[in-house]
Amino acid sequence: MSTLEIRDLHVTVETENGTKEILKGVNLTINSGETHAIMGPNGSGKSTLAYSIAGHPKYTVTSGTVTLDGEDVLAMEVDERARAGLFLAMQYPVEVPGVTVSNFLRTAKTAIDGEAPKVRTWVKDVKGAMSNLKMDPAFAERNVNEGFSGGEKKRHEILQMELLKPKMAILDETDSGLDVDALRIVSEGVNRAKDETNCGVLLITHYTRILRYIKPDHVHVFVNGKVAEEGGPELADRLEAEGYDRYVNAAAEAKA
Amino acid sequence: MSTIEELNPGLADLGRYEYGWADSDTAGASAKRGLSPDVVTDISDRKSEPEWMKKLRLKSLNLFEKKPMPNWGSDLTGIDFQNIKYFVKSTEKQATTWDELPEDIKATYDKLGIPEAEKQRLIAGVAAQYESEVVYHQIREDLEEKGVIFVDTDSGLREHEDLFKEYFGSVIPAGDNKFAALNTAVWSGGSFIYVPPGVHVDIPLQAYFRINTENMGQFERTLIIADEGSYVHYVEGCTAPIYKTDSLHSAVVEIVVKKNARVRYTTIQNWSNNVYNLVTKRATCEEGATMEWIDGNIGSKVTMKYPAVFLMGEHAKGETLSIAFAGEGQHQDAGAKMVHAAPNTSSTIVSKSVARGGGRTSYRGLVQVLEGAEHSKSSVVCDALLVDQISRSDTYPYVDVREDDVQMGHEATVSKVSEDQLFYLRSRGLSEEEAMAMIVRGFVEPIARELPMEYALELNRLIELQMEGAVG
């Protein structure tokens, strides 16, 4: 049983116009086995939340805490966070020229586990996970994210989630740019990984359609750098019908 | 074999550096420092060389003294020619089997991994150079049966004088440049290879070099003749111990690639970071011949090396793939030279360089298309990767075309390791150093994949060593 706890998190980023506060006091608790959806309009700070938890150097935490099972995540280096059990499936994963997917996966697995995976089971695991995600075996010999389509990048991210077996997985707009079939395949991958490891999932999305495949236990509406409303799956249905206007307007009024 | 201890009073002094240990310097004690006609005559006499070679050496010494130091490329003012030993003899006679080698030399090669390579039969024969003299040399019998000559260059002169005399200095004359003149005056060791017409040597011939005497210059001389329609891959690798004072390595490699023959020459040099590595490498290609240089420069303080191919016959091909890696205090000034002297010749240059810790890499290349070399093609691609803000990379591409109907391509890129790449890899559990090493390995992969497996692995290890402490 693991718990990721975010308390009153404030985060700034440097822009051309000076320092800008993006997260303005985020509170969130995610336990193993739970799926939380964070939904919100563009520019509300959803991705900033994801990157701040993972430790991207572009973002500065000015106050608040993030803990994983009581351990201070913010005091950890990026790679220490990964080894502690955090995983971020990125919206725009970068290319690593000259490094094959199979080499990358094995290196990452070794780094996360602190020892090299057993050759025989590892090869089988990789092949199995790739086949589940409907990935061509030849994919393993391609260079990481180089020339991947949007859908291939997302499958590759979820492939990593399945193989690295994190305690907490943050999925940053994993649904964006996917057609219906790819969305279903990727979602099934997330569900498989979750069923197998009972990890916690923080699903960041703009749209409700992925929630047809990945059922959230909790839905948080994210507006202007903080959680504006929380509820169960029914909240997603309401957003589907009504959109974010109500929250955005309320936030604008509060600002004025 | 009762003489191991006698031969090796300093066995206990073996260091523990992985690529930077030093054996005891018992043999070097007798050698004189400095350069003079007496020193050159002495080298020739000790080897009992024919008169013509002695004369050539003395003439070359004269040329060396007359020629100016290069005023381009790297800073060479740190070389003190009078403080270098020009000839160091390690053991009196050459060993012909592994067991005959002195124990400390064996220990050295054990660290370099040579016996494993030998056991795996990945290599066709080992010419391991130790203190200027080849002490161990083995040729597999099947090579001998095919008429392939693979000996150290001193033996080449003794045993195959006619062949030797015909080609020695024919590709790189003594007066070519100051360091070629120096090498011709004081050369010692290196490999002499002759491959008869039509013979394909299907396993790489390999030599391992080490410098082991303080302030010792290593002036090996390699001569390869690939007769018509033959093929050979020669692999030269170097790792050197660390010394306090500057050391000079100035080799000359001459390759004659006859009609329709193909030669591949692979080097990964990892001289310690106080060595001036000034090497002249050149091949001539007759009609339909192919020359491939694969050149890795990891170590040394300064390297100036531009493997050249003279495309003399129609449809001849030249290719250079090079990797340079410059860390703190290093300048790798490397590149290639392609001279198109016949119609329908083609050349390719791919250069990848990585600079970190204030190191400096330069690509310096010349593509020359002479009059009459119509329908020639040349492609140059050079990519530089900067690991941090304080390192430097320059590109000096020279092109000289004297013919209208030619195809020339040139691409150059300089890239930096991006914050997002590092973040991506680190978010998968890799430390910053591991992430950096992975990015660098990926960057050089297009060349690493051309290396024999054991060398690709060694290159990866060397990159990891180089990247240690690269981030701060």
Side-chain angles (χ1 to χ4, degrees):
Chain A
M1 175 73 183
S2 281
T3 303
L4 179 69
E5 203 164 353
I6 301 160
R7 284 287 160 264
D8 195 28
L9 188 68
H10 290 255
V11 170
T12 61
V13 66
E14 296 304 319
T15 70
E16 285 171 11
N17 304 317
T19 307
K20 192 177 171 203
E21 184 168 60
I22 308 283
L23 299 187
K24 302 168 181 177
V26 179
N27 290 291
L28 208 57
T29 303
I30 304 160
N31 294 306
S32 298
E34 296 177 356
T35 298
H36 292 242
I38 290 206
M39 307 191 60
N42 290 330
S44 58
K46 303 185 301 288
S47 289
T48 299
L49 177 63
Y51 280 95
S52 301
I53 298 169
H56 195 288
K58 195 174 133 192
Y59 302 96
T60 309
V61 175
T62 50
S63 68
T65 59
V66 178
T67 58
L68 179 64
D69 301 328
E71 297 286 324
D72 183 359
V73 169
L74 298 178
M76 298 178 195
E77 294 285 326
V78 177
D79 44 303
E80 290 172 326
R81 296 180 196 204
R83 292 196 293 269
L86 290 174
F87 176 81
L88 170 61
M90 298 193 197
Q91 188 181 357
Y92 304 111
V94 296
E95 295 180 358
V96 191
V99 177
T100 61
V101 166
S102 80
N103 177 11
F104 168 72
L105 292 173
R106 197 179 51 246
T107 307
K109 183 67 175 169
T110 305
I112 298 281
D113 291 1
E115 60 177 355
K118 291 204 175 63
V119 177
R120 209 170 354 137
T121 51
W122 174 248
V123 172
K124 222 174 76 195
D125 289 352
V126 173
K127 276 192 181 151
M130 284 179 62
S131 138
N132 285 338
L133 286 163
K134 309 270 187 293
M135 296 166 86
D136 185 336
F139 195 87
E141 294 317 312
R142 288 173 66 183
N143 292 335
V144 173
N145 291 319
E146 212 175 47
F148 287 16
S149 68
E152 286 172 333
K153 284 183 183 170
K154 297 301 167 65
R155 284 176 212 221
H156 180 230
E157 293 295 288
I158 300 309
L159 175 66
Q160 293 167 55
M161 177 185 169
E162 287 204 61
L163 293 167
L164 299 179
K165 305 192 191 314
K167 290 179 186 163
M168 291 289 160
I170 304 163
L171 312 180
D172 186 18
E173 309 222 2
T174 295
D175 51 343
S176 71
L178 295 184
D179 62 30
V180 180
D181 291 331
L183 181 64
R184 185 177 46 78
I185 291 162
V186 164
S187 301
E188 283 168 5
V190 173
N191 290 333
R192 250 192 328 270
K194 184 168 170 266
D195 288 347
E196 197 189 326
T197 63
N198 197 37
C199 64
V201 173
L202 181 61
L203 184 70
I204 291 173
T205 181
H206 187 78
Y207 302 105
T208 52
R209 56 176 197 155
I210 193 173
L211 305 182
R212 277 177 233 153
Y213 303 101
I214 303 173
K215 294 291 174 205
D217 305 298
H218 305 273
V219 174
H220 312 264
V221 182
F222 206 76
V223 180
N224 194 27
K226 57 172 117 180
V227 176
E229 187 171 359
E230 293 175 298
E234 74 287 348
L235 183 53
D237 297 334
R238 217 172 80 204
L239 285 171
E240 174 84 25
E242 298 173 10
Y244 297 113
D245 284 357
R246 192 156 58 91
Y247 302 101
V248 176
N249 293 340
E253 275 166 34
K255 223 180 203 174
Chain B
M1 292 305 296
S2 60
T3 57
I4 288 167
E5 276 75 26
E6 292 164 36
L7 276 166
N8 301 282
L11 196 58
D13 294 339
L14 284 173
R16 276 195 299 271
Y17 301 101
E18 194 176 355
Y19 286 94
W21 65 90
D23 298 340
S24 62
D25 181 17
T26 48
S30 58
K32 273 194 286 187
R33 287 175 199 275
L35 196 54
S36 67
D38 285 350
V39 167
V40 170
T41 304
D42 183 50
I43 292 172
S44 192
D45 287 348
R46 284 210 219 181
K47 293 170 185 282
S48 314
E49 286 178 348
E51 197 59 25
W52 67 269
M53 179 54 76
K54 192 195 284 186
K55 278 189 180 147
L56 179 59
R57 285 179 182 275
L58 288 166
K59 187 184 124 199
S60 303
L61 176 65
N62 197 21
L63 285 167
F64 166 72
E65 282 163 351
K66 278 191 193 142
K67 290 217 165 252
M69 288 288 274
N71 57 0
W72 48 274
S74 297
D75 178 12
L76 302 177
T77 51
I79 304 173
D80 177 2
F81 290 107
Q82 292 308 324
N83 198 28
I84 287 168
K85 289 172 184 171
Y86 288 89
F87 181 63
V88 181
K89 208 172 166 84
S90 173
T91 49
E92 282 307 310
K93 69 175 185 65
Q94 282 200 49
T96 52
T97 71
W98 184 256
D99 288 340
E100 284 176 42
L101 280 175
E103 204 62 27
D104 63 341
I105 293 175
K106 268 200 275 195
T108 297
Y109 289 142
D110 275 343
K111 288 183 221 161
L112 291 171
I114 290 232
E116 281 88 348
E118 182 74 12
K119 277 172 209 156
Q120 291 162 10
R121 296 198 152 248
L122 280 170
I123 48 174
V126 174
Q129 173 147 351
Y130 195 78
E131 299 194 4
S132 298
E133 188 97 0
V134 174
V135 293
Y136 172 67
H137 204 131
Q138 192 178 8
I139 299 175
R140 294 220 342 239
E141 282 172 7
D142 52 346
L143 283 180
E144 277 182 349
E145 277 169 23
K146 286 176 177 172
V148 176
I149 300 169
F150 178 29
V151 293
D152 69 88
T153 309
D154 295 279
S155 302
L157 171 58
R158 265 195 315 274
E159 295 162 14
H160 309 276
E161 192 179 337
D162 290 344
L163 192 62
F164 191 97
K165 196 173 176 181
E166 185 181 347
Y167 292 103
F168 186 91
S170 68
V171 182
I172 303 173
D176 187 79
N177 65 72
K178 190 173 181 74
F179 290 94
L182 178 63
N183 176 280
T184 309
V186 300
W187 71 268
S188 212
S191 294
F192 177 73
I193 297 171
Y194 171 77
V195 186
V199 171
H200 282 232
V201 182
D202 46 14
I203 30 183
L205 298 178
Q206 180 162 326
Y208 233 102
F209 297 83
R210 286 199 53 215
I211 295 181
N212 198 51
T213 303
E214 188 177 1
N215 250 358
M216 197 195 76
Q218 182 140 333
F219 303 95
E220 85 268 15
R221 180 89 185 200
T222 288
L223 176 57
I224 299 174
I225 302 136
D227 218 324
E228 294 190 3
S230 67
Y231 169 73
V232 66
H233 182 187
Y234 180 73
V235 184
E236 169 209 321
C238 319
T239 60
I242 289 165
Y243 284 113
K244 290 186 192 103
T245 48
D246 290 341
S247 195
L248 174 63
H249 174 249
S250 186
V252 166
V253 177
E254 297 181 279
I255 301 181
V256 178
V257 194
K258 299 213 164 183
K259 190 174 168 183
N260 296 327
R262 179 177 156 214
V263 174
R264 172 174 278 213
Y265 190 106
T266 298
T267 309
I268 297 179
Q269 67 85 359
N270 182 33
W271 300 111
S272 60
N273 289 356
N274 54 9
V275 171
Y276 287 87
N277 184 42
L278 311 170
V279 175
T280 310
K281 289 184 168 171
R282 192 178 299 161
T284 55
C285 281
E286 292 181 4
E287 186 187 333
T290 300
M291 177 67 211
E292 299 157 331
W293 295 105
I294 296 167
D295 200 51
N297 295 296
I298 311 284
S300 80
K301 173 180 184 169
V302 166
T303 285
M304 288 173 70
K305 180 165 39 151
Y306 323 95
V309 184
F310 281 63
L311 303 160
M312 309 307 293
E314 240 184 294
H315 297 289
K317 275 186 199 156
E319 184 172 0
T320 299
L321 302 179
S322 76
I323 311 174
F325 198 112
E328 194 182 343
Q330 288 183 278
H331 184 187
Q332 306 283 11
D333 195 288
K337 182 172 171 179
M338 295 288 173
V339 179
H340 295 256
N344 297 305
T345 48
S346 61
S347 65
T348 307
I349 299 170
V350 179
S351 158
K352 297 241 173 198
S353 68
V354 181
R356 70 145 194 98
R360 184 177 169 196
T361 59
S362 313
Y363 165 78
R364 191 182 301 276
L366 171 65
V367 177
Q368 218 172 1
V369 180
L370 305 183
E371 228 170 285
E374 71 264 10
H375 308 302
S376 290
K377 281 189 289 193
S378 176
S379 152
V380 179
V381 179
C382 37
D383 299 324
L385 182 70
L386 295 172
V387 172
D388 53 37
Q389 309 289 330
I390 55 171
S391 302
R392 173 173 168 185
S393 172
D394 303 283
T395 304
Y396 306 97
Y398 301 98
V399 176
D400 177 8
V401 179
R402 302 294 167 94
E403 191 59 55
D404 291 331
D405 188 11
V406 296
Q407 279 182 45
M408 300 284 296
H410 178 86
E411 285 172 50
T413 65
V414 179
S415 51
K416 277 189 248 177
V417 174
S418 79
E419 193 176 62
D420 284 333
Q421 273 180 326
L422 280 177
F423 174 72
Y424 186 64
L425 295 178
R426 295 186 69 195
S427 77
R428 300 317 186 233
L430 279 69
S431 70
E432 194 171 357
E433 275 177 14
E434 287 168 337
M436 203 78 97
M438 179 173 258
I439 292 167
V440 170
R441 277 201 306 269
F443 176 75
V444 302
E445 191 277 338
I447 290 172
R449 84 163 84 111
E450 295 295 322
L451 296 171
M453 179 65 86
E454 73 221 65
Y455 276 78
L457 293 174
E458 181 170 314
L459 180 71
N460 281 344
R461 279 204 305 275
L462 293 175
I463 288 171
E464 267 149 37
L465 284 172
Q466 285 276 4
M467 296 311 293
E468 273 176 23
V471 290

